[in-house]
Amino acid sequence: MITVFIDHVKRLNFKFLIGLGAFCVLVAAVNNIRAPKEKSVEWIGGQEILKGPE
């Protein structure tokens, strides 16, 4: 069973998989830029921290 998995991994085209991942990131960035302001998300930065009770 393990040898079948290892043989399958050896046959994968890693250049294609890396290219596909880069393409997905690029398309996601373009989609976020084209989306209206209220529907786009922040890529850098964290959540806004709300003030706690005083």
Side-chain angles (χ1 to χ4, degrees):
M1 180 82 174
I2 292 293
T3 57
V4 173
F5 176 73
I6 292 172
D7 289 340
H8 180 69
V9 170
K10 286 181 182 178
R11 285 183 282 155
L12 289 176
N13 186 346
F14 287 105
K15 290 180 185 176
F16 174 76
L17 292 176
I18 291 169
L20 184 63
F23 176 74
C24 289
V25 169
L26 179 69
V27 170
V30 169
N31 186 43
N32 192 40
I33 291 170
R34 292 187 60 215
K37 185 68 175 168
E38 63 272 1
K39 291 188 177 184
S40 70
V41 296
E42 287 188 36
W43 287 59
I44 298 175
Q47 263 184 309
E48 192 175 310
I49 298 174
L50 301 175
K51 293 183 181 179
E54 294 180 10

